[in-house]
Amino acid sequence: DLGTANTLIYVKGVGVVVDEPTLLAIQKSDRSIFTYGEEAKKLVGRVPDSIELVKPLRDGVISEIEYAEELVKTLLSKAIGRSYSRPRIIICVPNGVTSVEQRSIETAAHATGASEVFTIEEPMAAAIGANLQIFEPFGNMVIDIGGGTTEIAVISMGDVVNANSVRVGGEDMTDKLIEWLRSEHAMLVDEGIAESLKHAVGSAYQYDKEPQVTVTGRDIVKGVPKQVLLEASDVRNALTPVVNEIIEAVRISLSQTPPALVSDIDKYGAWLTGGGSMLKQLDRKIAEELGIPINMTEDPLSTVVVGSGICLERFEDYKSVLKSSDK
């Protein structure tokens, strides 16, 4: 699961063996990799001019093909040893991916020396990972909120009946907080501080007792350290545009779904997954806005990769939901 925020790898017969940030630290002098993943994330906001932090994916698709290939190869080596030989790879892709973007993802997978490369749409992998009955004539709705994309799909009889994809996710929530602190408090914070703030008091719905949090950043005008006491409602208001965009995308998907399948969703609910879905009370907000029950998957961060792993474990059973890639 090559994601905007994190990359996870599932090995057949073993399970999830890699979960690392999709991030590289590059030496500017020769463009070589200084470090990657968790170690690179520790450097956010702390690197000298000689090192550049690179995110090889933007909005769920590859923007830096060369570095994406390097990261995939490095993480595969970590997952199954340097002596791995021509593995079969299933790689997850957003359902709104273009043919050019799809090819760049497949190229990155083939560059690792894979014998076979298959792709699976992320909502389909999420539905399998959530143990939904995807081959039944039944309406399964999945809302997968990743770092850079939100994928919504209604699945029945082993196929996607309709899908909607918007290029917003958890990282956009973090960016909105950075923008809001800059405009409202003339204060500069980095991604790490904004992310911590989002996890600490961020929510999509009002708390019974609204918490407060003190944030430290840099005063844009004076250039000195600055502290601001924030209410949870302030943070929620900053996140609202992204939350509303996600809800509207789900609404559009429901409006395009056949009535019989909508009836199933109305009765049994939609399934919420992905790292962005972990914003507190987001499930409650979506349920209230759209009037359908919302279920959370057991482990939102790994549902997609576990789904693709199940396809590996039971390859013949799930071959029909995979797309083969030829070199």
Side-chain angles (χ1 to χ4, degrees):
D1 177 16
L2 186 58
T4 306
N6 284 69
T7 294
L8 292 87
I9 298 177
Y10 181 112
V11 174
K12 183 179 178 181
V14 182
V16 180
V17 295
V18 168
D19 180 358
E20 295 266 5
T22 309
L23 187 66
L24 293 156
I26 307 297
Q27 297 271 16
K28 285 185 181 177
S29 57
D30 60 2
R31 307 307 292 170
S32 64
I33 296 172
F34 176 70
T35 189
Y36 66 91
E38 204 62 60
E39 291 302 312
K41 190 167 185 179
K42 291 176 184 174
L43 302 179
V44 172
R46 302 173 187 275
V47 292
D49 284 343
S50 59
I51 292 176
E52 177 188 359
L53 292 176
V54 174
K55 289 184 175 183
L57 271 81
R58 294 279 174 190
D59 301 327
V61 293
I62 293 174
S63 55
E64 302 269 1
I65 182 74
E66 185 185 333
Y67 290 125
E69 287 176 10
E70 286 301 317
L71 185 64
V72 170
K73 281 194 272 191
T74 303
L75 293 177
L76 267 179
S77 296
K78 181 176 180 178
I80 51 181
R82 296 195 177 277
S83 61
Y84 70 84
S85 108
R86 299 182 58 72
R88 169 188 284 164
I89 294 178
I90 296 174
I91 194 157
C92 307
V93 296
N95 60 28
V97 72
T98 66
S99 57
V100 172
E101 291 164 344
Q102 171 114 0
R103 276 198 298 276
S104 73
I105 291 169
E106 291 168 354
T107 300
H110 278 301
T112 66
S115 60
E116 294 177 288
V117 174
F118 296 88
T119 57
I120 182 171
E121 292 182 345
E122 286 169 5
M124 180 66 80
I128 295 167
N131 292 315
L132 304 186
Q133 302 301 308
I134 65 161
F135 294 112
E136 298 297 320
F138 178 85
N140 298 286
M141 180 177 240
V142 174
I143 305 162
D144 176 21
I145 307 172
T149 56
T150 294
E151 310 281 326
I152 302 124
V154 176
I155 297 162
S156 179
M157 297 183 70
D159 207 349
V160 174
V161 177
N162 81 63
N164 193 14
S165 177
V166 286
R167 296 199 169 181
V168 295
E171 291 194 352
D172 297 273
M173 297 180 194
T174 304
D175 290 344
K176 284 291 182 188
L177 279 177
I178 294 171
E179 288 173 23
W180 182 81
L181 285 165
R182 177 193 281 271
S183 62
E184 292 295 317
H185 294 281
M187 181 166 129
L188 193 65
V189 300
D190 64 25
E191 189 182 309
I193 293 170
E195 209 170 279
S196 297
L197 175 60
K198 180 178 74 178
H199 293 314
V201 298
S203 71
Y205 205 93
Q206 188 172 343
Y207 288 93
D208 292 334
K209 186 181 179 185
E210 296 274 56
Q212 296 178 319
V213 66
T214 300
V215 180
T216 303
R218 192 178 79 217
D219 190 306
I220 292 171
V221 179
K222 299 177 182 176
V224 297
K226 179 177 183 177
Q227 286 194 334
V228 175
L229 179 66
L230 296 178
E231 303 284 342
S233 57
D234 296 330
V235 176
R236 186 166 55 255
N237 290 339
L239 300 178
T240 293
V242 177
V243 171
N244 286 346
E245 195 168 343
I246 290 168
I247 291 170
E248 185 56 28
V250 180
R251 193 194 311 276
I252 290 168
S253 189
L254 281 169
S255 73
Q256 297 168 346
T257 302
L261 301 183
V262 170
S263 176
D264 295 335
I265 296 164
D266 183 53
K267 187 173 181 181
Y268 296 102
W271 289 82
L272 193 58
T273 192
S277 73
M278 297 171 75
L279 178 69
K280 295 181 186 75
Q281 306 246 43
L282 181 56
D283 53 344
R284 182 180 174 186
K285 178 71 172 175
I286 297 172
E288 185 175 284
E289 290 287 327
L290 301 180
I292 58 171
I294 299 291
N295 311 295
M296 288 292 294
T297 58
E298 194 174 322
D299 183 0
L301 290 168
S302 65
T303 311
V304 168
V305 78
V306 167
S308 60
I310 291 170
C311 293
L312 278 173
E313 303 285 0
R314 297 167 55 192
F315 187 71
E316 292 304 321
D317 292 343
Y318 288 98
K319 201 171 182 180
S320 63
V321 303
L322 305 175
K323 291 177 185 172
S324 178
S325 157
D326 296 319
K327 288 183 185 179

